[in-house]
């Protein structure tokens, strides 16, 4: 029995897994148990921004593993304090809560927004506006915020009080507003829904609505944050600040960590006992978080992302012109979607067969989330193999 067959025997079938069993990584490449090499343009769903085996990252995590892995959150630790300071400064907000995943960050942000509403109105009946084609996680709360019935239909009854507007349609948001609206949650760039960026006018319009009506604006930057779109936080490109931002994936570059960060007004609503996480923000993961911020700054990773992404877009423009099945591309920075007029799944498999890992985003979009440390040479390698499978 091979590794794949053994995995199929023991794991719950929650994923439609490829029959490739990965063994190790180096730089921006992954290797399977048979020694085959893959250019990774998916980075573990946008997690491994530094690729694999980045020396300073590995050294920091190894050092912390030998010192202190976990303690209760009733005590501070130095790595957690250092990481918290860097997260708050990077987001330009006020207070952070560390958790274990993006879905947990969403849940925590939702609880904080609803607690603020409760303190203001003295009742627990707040409504939330989310968006069609969004994705915020797979817990029973975050999946309700996910504007796709496919993810929800088997798991009801789910949380009440959620309405869905249309991305980049401000009037659709205004039509859903009531006196009970407590929060609006949106991804600046929708990931799972097809790599759909918000327009600047739309996101600034949401900010204005929330300011006028004292509604919490939650930005989900779990996938698009941490430098992936060319700025450390995507919302800086929109000249706004959220009330709460959700982070995960690239914040830890491989260790299981997420966070939600609030401004001073909403942070005041959180009191001891309102929320918690046994593992959230333990010394091991926060040592990784702290190191990630250091590396991003010291090694100019975000600047590299911006430069290489511009080259990638130039090459994708050429692909659009050369192949009838390619409609266009969209996204920001190194979060891109290649839009097809045919199902994307067969091209994803064909690229895997050619030694490139990508994934779909919806039925007809190939999603690209490469490590932020890729070079123009890696882009050339990807484009060459993309052209081969498209042809």
């Amino acid at each position: 029995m091979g590794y794949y067959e053994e995995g199929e025997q023991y794991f719950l079938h929650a994923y439609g897994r490829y029959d490739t069993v990965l063994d190790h990584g180096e730089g921006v490449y992954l290797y399977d148990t048979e020694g085959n090499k893959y250019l990774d343009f998916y980075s573990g769903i946008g997690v491994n921004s530094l690729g694999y085996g980045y020396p300073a990252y590995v050294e920091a995590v190894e050092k912390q593993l030998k010192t202190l892995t976990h303690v209760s959150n009733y005590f501070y630790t130095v790595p957690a304090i250092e990481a918290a300071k860097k997260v708050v400064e990077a987001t330009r907000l006020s207070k952070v809560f560390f958790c274990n995943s993006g879905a947990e960050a969403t849940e925590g942000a939702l609880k904080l927004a609803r607690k603020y509403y409760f303190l203001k109105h003295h009742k627990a009946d707040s409504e939330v506006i989310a968006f069609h084609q969004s994705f915020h996680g797979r817990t029973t709360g975050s999946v309700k915020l996910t504007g796709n019935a496919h993810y929800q239909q088997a798991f009801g009854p789910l949380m009440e009080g959620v309405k869905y507007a249309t991305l980049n349609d401000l009037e659709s948001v205004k039509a859903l507003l009531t006196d009970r609206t407590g929060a609006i949650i949106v991804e600046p760039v929708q990931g799972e829904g097809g790599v759909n960026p918000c327009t600047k006018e739309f996101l600034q319009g949401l900010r204005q609505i929330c300011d006028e009506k004292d509604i919490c604006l939650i930005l989900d930057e779990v996938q698009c944050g941490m430098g992936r779109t060319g700025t450390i936080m995507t919302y800086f490109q929109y000249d706004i600040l959220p009330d709460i931002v959700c982070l995960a994936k690239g914040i830890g570059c491989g260790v299981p960590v997420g966070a939600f960060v609030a401004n001073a007004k909403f942070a005041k609503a959180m009191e001891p006992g309102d929320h918690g996480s046994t593992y959230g923000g333990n010394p091991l993961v926060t040592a990784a978080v702290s190191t990630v911020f250091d590396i991003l700054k010291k090694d100019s990773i975000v600047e590299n992302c911006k430069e290489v992404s511009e080259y990638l877009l130039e090459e994708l423009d050429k692909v659009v012109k050369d192949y009838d099945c390619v409609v266009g591309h969209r996204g920001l920075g190194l979060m891109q979607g290649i839009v097809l007029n045919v199902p994307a799944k067969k091209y994803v498999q064909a690229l895997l067969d050619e030694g490139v890992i990508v994934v779909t985003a919806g039925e007809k979009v190939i999603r690209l989330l490469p490590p932020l440390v890729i070079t123009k040479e890696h882009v050339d390698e990807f484009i060459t193999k993309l052209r081969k499978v498209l042809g």
Side-chain angles (χ1 to χ4, degrees):
M1 182 183 295
Y3 287 119
Y4 176 79
E5 290 75 20
E6 194 170 4
E8 289 290 284
Q9 180 176 346
Y10 293 111
F11 278 88
L12 278 169
H13 291 165
Y15 306 98
R17 298 181 195 263
Y18 297 100
D19 60 2
T20 299
V21 181
L22 298 175
D23 180 72
H24 66 281
E26 182 178 344
V28 298
Y29 293 94
L30 286 165
Y31 298 81
D32 67 19
T33 52
E34 297 180 357
N36 298 308
K37 182 180 180 180
Y38 303 88
L39 175 64
D40 184 11
F41 258 51
Y42 188 33
S43 63
I45 323 183
V47 170
N48 300 313
S49 299
L50 301 176
Y52 303 92
Y54 203 94
Y57 178 86
V58 172
E59 180 182 353
V61 174
E62 282 185 341
K63 180 180 178 181
Q64 189 59 47
L65 188 62
K66 296 174 182 177
T67 305
L68 191 63
T69 303
H70 177 78
V71 294
S72 163
N73 277 315
Y74 285 106
F75 300 89
Y76 283 121
T77 65
V78 173
I81 294 169
E82 291 178 345
K85 181 176 184 291
K86 292 170 186 177
V87 170
V88 166
E89 289 178 347
T91 57
R92 301 179 192 170
L93 298 175
S94 179
K95 304 284 186 180
V96 61
F97 182 99
F98 288 113
C99 51
N100 305 293
S101 67
E104 288 184 30
T106 300
E107 294 278 1
L110 179 62
K111 285 180 68 177
L112 182 55
R114 286 190 147 172
K115 178 67 184 301
Y116 178 88
Y117 176 95
F118 175 80
L119 293 175
K120 178 182 176 182
H121 297 281
H122 307 292
K123 53 184 179 179
D125 64 349
S126 65
E127 296 176 343
V128 181
I129 297 175
F131 291 87
H132 297 296
Q133 296 181 276
S134 61
F135 184 87
H136 298 289
R138 295 181 184 270
T139 56
T140 54
S142 61
V143 79
K144 180 63 177 179
L145 297 173
T146 295
N148 187 329
H150 170 72
Y151 293 110
Q152 303 175 356
Q153 59 191 9
F155 307 107
L158 296 173
M159 177 178 67
E160 297 179 352
V162 180
K163 302 175 180 179
Y164 304 100
T166 301
L167 196 73
N168 292 327
D169 182 351
L170 211 55
E171 293 305 313
S172 75
V173 176
K174 293 177 181 178
L176 299 178
L177 291 170
T178 72
D179 292 339
R180 293 171 54 192
T181 305
I184 299 174
I185 182 168
V186 64
E187 302 156 272
V189 184
Q190 289 183 335
E192 296 282 337
V195 194
N196 305 306
C198 290
T199 65
K200 191 169 187 176
E201 179 185 20
F202 176 72
L203 211 53
Q204 289 186 343
L206 292 183
R207 180 68 274 174
Q208 184 177 352
I209 288 171
C210 291
D211 287 340
E212 290 174 352
K213 298 184 177 294
D214 197 21
I215 294 170
C216 182
L217 179 60
I218 304 171
L219 297 187
D220 181 341
E221 293 223 12
V222 167
Q223 190 167 135
C224 67
M226 293 302 296
R228 176 153 296 279
T229 62
T231 50
I232 189 65
M233 297 294 141
T234 300
Y235 56 78
F236 292 154
Q237 298 177 46
Y238 294 83
D239 298 323
I240 66 164
L241 293 177
D243 297 306
I244 306 174
V245 63
C246 302
L247 301 171
K249 297 189 184 295
I251 197 175
C253 288
V255 297
V257 57
F260 61 96
V261 198
N263 64 19
K265 181 173 77 171
F266 282 87
K268 290 177 182 177
M270 181 72 75
E271 298 174 312
D274 281 345
H275 199 51
S277 172
T278 297
Y279 294 108
N282 74 29
L284 182 64
V285 300
T286 49
V289 170
S290 182
T291 302
V292 167
F293 277 101
D294 291 344
I295 293 171
L296 292 180
K297 183 176 181 179
K298 178 176 178 292
D299 294 349
S300 303
I301 303 298
V302 180
E303 289 76 9
N304 181 75
C305 168
K306 190 172 182 179
E307 179 182 345
V308 176
S309 67
E310 290 173 356
Y311 180 68
L312 172 63
L313 296 184
E314 292 172 1
E315 294 301 308
L316 289 178
D317 285 340
K318 299 174 186 176
V319 170
V320 172
K321 292 179 181 178
D322 291 345
Y323 297 91
D324 292 338
C325 64
V326 183
V327 176
H329 61 83
R330 60 186 179 228
L332 293 175
L334 289 179
M335 183 177 180
Q336 293 292 326
I338 302 172
V339 185
L340 309 178
N341 57 19
V342 293
K345 189 174 181 179
K346 69 175 183 179
Y347 293 105
V348 171
Q349 180 63 57
L351 281 165
L352 183 64
D353 295 339
E354 290 294 328
V356 179
I357 298 176
V358 294
V359 73
T360 59
E363 183 185 1
K364 296 181 179 180
V365 177
I366 299 172
R367 183 169 22 156
L368 310 181
L369 296 168
L372 305 188
V373 295
I374 63 166
T375 65
K376 293 179 180 179
E377 288 73 23
H378 297 127
V379 172
D380 289 339
E381 180 181 352
F382 166 71
I383 292 294
T384 297
K385 293 184 176 181
L386 176 64
R387 285 180 172 276
K388 181 176 181 181
V389 302
L390 290 174

